[in-house]
Amino acid sequence: MKKIAKNLLVLVVLLSMVVSPLNAYAAQTVKKDYKLSKGVQYKQYTYSSTKTNSINHIAINVDEPTTEVQLGMPATVNGKESTVANANRHSREGNRVVGAINASFFDMSVGFPLFLLSKDNVILNGGAVSNGSDEYMNVPTAFGVAPDGRGVIDYFDFDVTLSHKGKNYEMSGMNRARNIYEGIVYTPQFYSKTTNTNEYGFEIVVDTGAPITENKFGQTLTGKVKQITPYGSKEKISIPSTGFVVSLQGGDWHSKLSKIAIGDELSVNFSIDKLWKDAKFILASGPYLVKDNKPYIMMSTSSSRAKAVVPRTVVATSNNGKTVHYITVDGGQKHSAGMNMVQLANYLVSLGVDRAINLDGGGSTTMGIRNPGTNNVVLANLPSNAGNAQRLVSATLQAVSTAPTGKGAIIKYTHSTNHATLLAGASSSIAVQYIWDENYNPLPLEGRVSLKSENNTLKINGLNYTSTTAGNDRIYINHDGTPVQSFQVKVVDAPAEMNIAPKSKTVGSGETVKFTMDAKDEGGKPLVYNASQVKWTVEGNIGTITSDGKFTAKNPGATGKVVATLGKKRAEAAVTVAKGALFKDIPSNYVYYKEIEYLTKNKIITGQADGTFRPNDKLTRAHAAVIISRALGLNTSNVKNPGFKDIPANHVYYKQIASVVESGIMSGKGNNTFDPNGTLTRAQMAKVVALAYKLDGTSGINFKDVSKNHWAYTYVQQLAANKITTGYGDNTFKPNEAINRAHFGLFLYRAIHK
């Protein structure tokens, strides 16, 4: 084995020298980052270079006294188990598996590991070293844990030595398939009861006389030859429980050992070089990827295996082995492409690891982590198999916390009111997601979590509490009676600020409006209160309101307030109950609603037979006479005939027209006519209103279309002086424009109320 290692080492080092690291660490985006135990940190991130990859990374600080790196094996050496199942099976109190990755390469057909595996100097599998620079482990390299707990990545020298009559013979290996020209030793620890070799060789059966229960480094087995099978024999040779079988193929072996006879004494010794002596475990794999923080790929980088862009699993070390890294790269999926060996080595260098070695990848690549808040190990990455299913593997590497479960120290909880200030009488609660001890071991919650009020001003009910009086208090969250965390609770007897929305509202009779209220503390943050603490009332005969702020209006035209009281503070909203429509075309929000309403209520003006007012219709002279006579309360029972030939005694408005003419407010036109259906101009309106209400005065307003020599100048000035008219925005009065019903009503209303 030493000769193979030396010959291939030169070749592979030359092949790996072309690799140079890429500085791409800045291309990482962290998605998850949290502790799995006191000495174990988990991260998940995406890494983008030429393609995007999803990386899962467990960093293990073995310098932390309760943190270990362990080898996880199935129930039998040739057994297979998923990474997560293997981790959960090994996890127990005082030995909690918090993270794991798949490890060694294995024969997928029988599940037997391909390379060296040992634990506490016990050889679990003798393994092989492959021939050819395109093989993953063409030189003997391994990851293991030194007696002091540090991670080690280096070459190893495992020797199986046969001794006969003072001569030593270096064997090819132990407890694995015999290949051409090899000498293999089979012990009772082989997964099969027979050697399962072909007929192209010969085998020597040795009995030591005592049961062999394990194989260890430094162990020597000595016994007598009991059987020798000739070359070409197809006999299935059983491995004795008290001995071993030496299986040999090739003429060289025949010439060396053909003189061995029945009854001869044979010894076999298993040894490992000094670096690995007394290691807690050794797991051989390859290729070597990084050494001294530089790419160091121990296989041909031009080989198809090295160039394949696939999922990868890696174990690495830094800080002189005090930090061990488990790293998986998902591959062959939309979220993650995978890496070839050069990309992988360069990426590991960018992470800053000192040494790294490749483990079984492809569909085997799997990482499990302890699910926060539980002791269950769950899948962390997405294996490339159909449905992301885990492949059953032959061995795992595990991150283990040996700390026993202690008292609560770390908690994750949510607070229903986010620690806001409470109004006296208001309630709040917490919900606990998990509680850990100081070593991140989860603690049971059911019936074990309680609250306590420091000053006893908070009424406790399970994980709920209710404030009773204003002041400051503190809530302690206890686990089994021991405080884990606490928080301050501030209670006030009234909000610092309180508002109602809407602040003012005009509501139609019978309409319902939902009023809301918000209250803030002295810092301007929302105050916590129970909805039942808000007292809603109504001031004024405007309607009713429910306990949750739903107001129903009544009594059109009424005004009042909606009032919300919370603690010692109140807020108000002004409310007007809108009046109903006077006419179909005069809604409650009509601009001259008030004026038309007054004239209508006092029976000065009326609408049309179809229920409309027609505010934009031009006012006739006859209607103007009727409205003025009503407004002034003129006597129409005994009037003098004005003698207009178009106003006979039987005219519908004869009396009203006669009364205003007799009063000198209106007059006829030429040809002894009144023209009852003619329209009234704004200038004529000015005269009628000025005479009707005996207006006087002069205004400072000089309308540019009513000069001093205009016949209606005096009347227009009298209206302006009494604030009955202001004219238009362009400083005109428009004296010749016919006045409509709405504007006449407006001027009349102002004249009445001057």
Side-chain angles (χ1 to χ4, degrees):
M1 189 172 291
K2 290 179 181 177
K3 183 177 180 181
I4 294 173
K6 289 177 180 177
N7 289 343
L8 288 177
L9 182 58
V10 175
L11 170 65
V12 178
V13 168
L14 288 173
L15 289 170
S16 67
M17 286 174 66
V18 300
V19 182
S20 59
L22 300 175
N23 185 15
Y25 186 73
Q28 288 188 174
T29 302
V30 177
K31 298 175 69 177
K32 298 178 182 179
D33 187 354
Y34 50 83
K35 281 186 174 294
L36 301 177
S37 68
K38 186 178 285 188
V40 181
Q41 188 79 25
Y42 166 69
K43 288 185 180 181
Q44 183 184 80
Y45 38 79
T46 56
Y47 167 77
S48 297
S49 181
T50 56
K51 294 183 179 179
T52 297
N53 280 292
S54 177
I55 315 292
N56 285 275
H57 185 165
I58 296 174
I60 308 158
N61 176 18
V62 295
D63 216 25
E64 198 282 316
T66 64
T67 302
E68 293 182 359
V69 169
Q70 295 182 4
L71 175 67
M73 295 294 295
T76 59
V77 174
N78 66 319
K80 292 186 293 183
E81 195 172 14
S82 75
T83 300
V84 167
N86 183 267
N88 282 318
R89 185 169 60 81
H90 282 86
S91 185
R92 61 188 181 276
E93 174 64 19
N95 193 87
R96 289 298 178 193
V97 179
V98 300
I101 53 172
N102 68 294
S104 61
F105 290 85
F106 63 99
D107 185 327
M108 293 183 65
S109 61
V110 297
F112 208 74
L114 294 179
F115 307 133
L116 176 68
L117 279 173
S118 72
K119 186 176 182 180
D120 296 326
N121 281 327
V122 175
I123 304 165
L124 304 178
N125 182 56
V129 176
S130 305
N131 289 319
S133 62
D134 63 335
E135 297 289 344
Y136 291 117
M137 199 181 85
N138 52 71
V139 292
T141 51
F143 166 76
V145 173
D148 61 1
R150 290 181 303 106
V152 178
I153 295 174
D154 213 325
Y155 302 106
F156 67 88
D157 187 5
F158 171 50
D159 289 325
V160 179
T161 304
L162 183 70
S163 299
H164 177 246
K165 293 184 178 181
K167 289 187 177 182
N168 296 328
Y169 305 92
E170 186 175 342
M171 306 299 288
S172 306
M174 66 177 293
N175 289 342
R176 63 170 176 82
R178 185 195 68 198
N179 296 314
I180 188 171
Y181 306 134
E182 286 191 328
I184 303 296
V185 173
Y186 293 94
T187 71
Q189 282 63 55
F190 186 48
Y191 75 91
S192 175
K193 292 182 179 180
T194 64
T195 60
N196 294 332
T197 54
N198 58 37
E199 66 270 29
Y200 306 111
F202 66 102
E203 296 182 327
I204 303 169
V205 181
V206 180
D207 192 334
T208 67
I212 300 172
T213 58
E214 62 182 12
N215 307 134
K216 302 185 68 173
F217 296 128
Q219 180 185 40
T220 299
L221 301 176
T222 302
K224 300 289 186 180
V225 176
K226 296 298 183 184
Q227 181 183 359
I228 300 175
T229 62
Y231 181 87
S233 172
K234 295 184 179 181
E235 180 184 356
K236 292 289 185 182
I237 298 299
S238 296
I239 304 168
S241 61
T242 56
F244 57 90
V245 176
V246 180
S247 183
L248 307 156
Q249 182 180 4
D252 188 45
W253 282 115
H254 189 271
S255 62
K256 289 178 182 178
L257 301 177
S258 60
K259 295 181 180 180
I260 292 178
I262 300 295
D264 283 0
E265 185 176 88
L266 284 182
S267 297
V268 63
N269 174 264
F270 312 114
S271 66
I272 194 77
D273 55 292
K274 185 177 180 180
L275 173 67
W276 296 99
K277 183 65 175 173
D278 297 324
K280 292 190 176 183
F281 71 83
I282 303 171
L283 185 147
S285 191
Y288 217 140
L289 293 170
V290 176
K291 185 178 181 183
D292 299 328
N293 192 229
K294 295 177 181 178
Y296 194 77
I297 303 174
M298 293 291 100
M299 73 181 298
S300 170
T301 56
S302 62
S303 66
S304 59
R305 287 191 176 97
K307 291 169 68 175
V309 178
V310 295
R312 300 290 183 183
T313 304
V314 171
V315 61
T317 61
S318 60
N319 193 25
N320 194 29
K322 293 180 181 179
T323 304
V324 175
H325 305 266
Y326 296 165
I327 298 167
T328 62
V329 181
D330 286 353
Q333 302 174 74
K334 288 183 179 180
H335 77 287
S336 188
M339 293 184 181
N340 61 36
M341 288 298 181
V342 173
Q343 292 168 337
L344 184 61
N346 289 335
Y347 174 69
L348 294 168
V349 169
S350 74
L351 287 180
V353 302
D354 296 331
R355 297 191 175 198
I357 193 170
N358 181 64
L359 301 175
D360 189 15
S364 298
T365 291
T366 310
M367 178 180 286
I369 59 171
R370 178 162 70 172
N371 199 23
T374 75
N375 279 318
N376 290 327
V377 176
V378 297
L379 193 62
N381 75 315
L382 293 177
S384 61
N385 306 307
N388 302 123
Q390 296 181 67
R391 177 180 288 173
L392 304 184
V393 298
S394 70
T396 66
L397 289 175
Q398 299 174 352
V400 175
S401 170
T402 61
T405 301
K407 293 183 178 181
I410 305 165
I411 185 172
K412 182 180 180 181
Y413 71 96
T414 55
H415 190 272
S416 65
T417 54
N418 201 27
H419 302 296
T421 303
L422 271 63
L423 181 72
S427 301
S428 188
S429 63
I430 69 163
V432 178
Q433 280 69 57
Y434 56 76
I435 296 179
W436 296 335
D437 66 11
E438 64 176 356
N439 295 298
Y440 296 80
N441 292 315
L443 302 178
L445 301 179
E446 188 68 30
R448 314 288 281 273
V449 182
S450 61
L451 303 182
K452 180 176 174 53
S453 168
E454 183 177 56
N455 299 329
N456 295 318
T457 66
L458 302 170
K459 185 178 179 181
I460 307 297
N461 181 17
L463 298 184
N464 305 296
Y465 62 91
T466 302
S467 56
T468 58
T469 59
N472 292 327
D473 204 338
R474 180 168 289 277
I475 284 286
Y476 287 91
I477 306 174
N478 298 332
H479 184 271
D480 286 342
T482 300
V484 179
Q485 192 165 319
S486 69
F487 56 86
Q488 187 182 56
V489 179
K490 183 177 181 179
V491 182
V492 296
D493 55 14
E497 180 183 345
M498 184 173 166
N499 296 289
I500 290 182
K503 187 66 177 176
S504 63
K505 186 72 175 177
T506 297
V507 189
S509 181
E511 184 182 349
T512 296
V513 176
K514 180 69 168 68
F515 282 87
T516 59
M517 190 278 299
D518 76 272
K520 296 180 180 178
D521 63 15
E522 59 185 9
K525 295 181 180 180
L527 180 70
V528 175
Y529 55 90
N530 300 338
S532 60
Q533 291 181 277
V534 182
K535 305 302 179 186
W536 293 96
T537 56
V538 170
E539 292 183 358
N541 191 21
I542 56 173
T544 59
I545 194 165
T546 62
S547 60
D548 61 350
K550 290 181 181 178
F551 170 76
T552 302
K554 64 179 183 179
N555 299 327
T559 60
K561 298 176 181 178
V562 165
V563 180
T565 304
L566 185 60
K568 297 181 179 180
K569 200 173 185 67
R570 61 179 263 158
E572 303 173 349
V575 176
T576 298
V577 182
K579 299 174 182 179
L582 286 172
F583 301 96
K584 292 179 180 178
D585 50 359
I586 304 295
S588 60
N589 62 349
Y590 184 70
V591 62
Y592 302 134
Y593 182 96
K594 178 181 69 174
E595 291 83 357
I596 296 173
E597 179 191 38
Y598 173 84
L599 297 174
T600 301
K601 281 187 175 181
N602 288 278
K603 299 180 180 180
I604 296 171
I605 198 167
T606 59
Q608 307 298 323
D610 63 357
T612 63
F613 183 76
R614 301 180 189 174
N616 297 320
D617 281 4
K618 305 305 181 185
L619 186 70
T620 66
R621 288 171 56 79
H623 283 157
V626 172
I627 293 169
I628 286 294
S629 69
R630 291 173 181 169
L632 296 177
L634 298 178
N635 183 4
T636 59
S637 61
N638 185 19
V639 294
K640 180 181 177 181
N641 190 333
F644 297 123
K645 59 184 180 181
D646 54 355
I647 304 295
N650 62 352
H651 190 279
V652 64
Y653 298 131
Y654 169 80
K655 292 182 179 181
Q656 290 88 346
I657 293 171
S659 67
V660 296
V661 172
E662 186 177 354
S663 299
I665 298 171
M666 294 183 74
S667 60
K669 290 187 173 182
N671 300 323
N672 196 30
T673 61
F674 185 77
D675 190 15
N677 296 321
T679 57
L680 194 71
T681 67
R682 287 172 58 85
Q684 292 167 344
M685 174 277 301
K687 178 181 178 182
V688 169
V689 173
L691 293 175
Y693 289 94
K694 300 178 174 57
L695 301 178
D696 57 19
T698 301
S699 169
I701 301 173
N702 290 306
F703 299 108
K704 60 186 180 183
D705 55 355
V706 183
S707 63
K708 290 184 178 181
N709 58 1
H710 192 284
W711 72 265
Y713 175 80
T714 300
Y715 304 121
V716 173
Q717 283 293 307
Q718 289 170 346
L719 262 62
N722 288 276
K723 298 182 180 179
I724 294 171
T725 185
T726 57
Y728 290 93
D730 60 354
N731 196 33
T732 63
F733 183 74
K734 300 181 181 179
N736 298 320
E737 186 177 286
I739 194 165
N740 62 32
R741 287 167 54 80
H743 282 164
F744 186 77
L746 171 64
F747 291 133
L748 186 58
Y749 175 87
R750 290 175 177 173
I752 293 170
H753 292 85
K754 67 176 178 65

